Amino acid sequence: MATRKSHPLDAMVGARIRMLRVNRGISQAMLAGRIGVTFQQVQKYERGADRIGASRLSRIASVLGVSVGELFESSGAESPGLNSLVRLLAEPDALRVLKAYACTTDPRVRLSIAKLVQSIADRAPAAKATVARLDAFDRDKRRGFGGEDSLPQEDEQQSHAAPVCPR
């Protein structure tokens, strides 16, 4: 008897399911309950470790409010970077970070966020040094130091109200 192996398409469909599930605020346990499996099984589907049968795929699409076709990407016609983009967005908390970034409208704050995240990614083993540098940045900002990349002072901000963003 031949053993079934997962295919890269299984991983891609699983990543799309995860991205849609997180975007809709549905937990793995909630999705599992609605489609009649355990949350561990949903984890396996999202990782691409297990294949999803047609009827179960249809139930998942229904719970997520999409067509079954939307769980699949076009083959070959789109850029190869799209696959990696879907995988990036399927990373835990990636969509959450992106939504929060989108709610930030000040270009200087956006630049600071991008530089902060890049700095953390570049120096992951030296996270303590990054935190110390951020503390020094905050002290300098309060003292009025800082170049063109520094965050605006309170009196420079146009509005103190938080932007209305969908969560």
Side-chain angles (χ1 to χ4, degrees):
M1 178 181 233
T3 60
R4 285 192 264 167
K5 286 185 152 183
S6 64
H7 185 271
L9 183 61
D10 299 319
M12 187 273 306
V13 169
R16 303 266 309 185
I17 289 170
R18 177 177 173 77
M19 182 177 63
L20 290 165
R21 177 184 61 76
V22 169
N23 188 36
R24 284 156 177 73
I26 300 173
S27 70
Q28 288 178 332
M30 285 173 57
L31 178 59
R34 291 182 185 172
I35 64 170
V37 298
T38 64
F39 80 92
Q40 292 96 337
Q41 187 61 48
V42 171
Q43 289 175 334
K44 291 177 183 179
Y45 290 153
E46 289 182 354
R47 281 195 326 263
D50 283 1
R51 290 183 170 187
I52 308 170
S55 61
R56 182 139 310 130
L57 193 62
S58 176
R59 278 186 268 163
I60 291 170
S62 176
V63 169
L64 296 175
V66 298
S67 69
V68 173
E70 289 179 70
L71 298 176
F72 294 87
E73 290 180 353
S74 313
S75 59
E78 299 187 26
S79 68
L82 184 60
N83 287 336
S84 60
L85 180 60
V86 170
R87 284 195 193 352
L88 285 173
L89 287 175
E91 286 291 319
D93 295 321
L95 197 55
R96 184 174 154 201
V97 169
L98 188 57
K99 282 181 175 181
Y101 177 85
C103 288
T104 306
T105 57
D106 186 328
R108 295 190 308 177
V109 173
R110 283 182 167 208
L111 177 63
S112 295
I113 291 169
K115 286 182 175 183
L116 171 65
V117 172
Q118 186 63 52
S119 171
I120 291 169
D122 290 345
R123 295 177 179 85
K128 289 182 183 177
T130 302
V131 171
R133 215 178 11 227
L134 288 174
D135 288 340
F137 172 78
D138 191 40
R139 272 193 313 273
D140 289 346
K141 186 181 78 167
R142 279 184 271 139
R143 290 181 186 153
F145 301 125
E148 43 185 294
D149 289 340
S150 64
L151 297 176
Q153 300 298 318
E154 285 297 314
D155 57 331
E156 292 180 73
Q157 294 179 346
Q158 295 178 356
S159 170
H160 296 289
V164 178
C165 289
R167 300 250 177 211

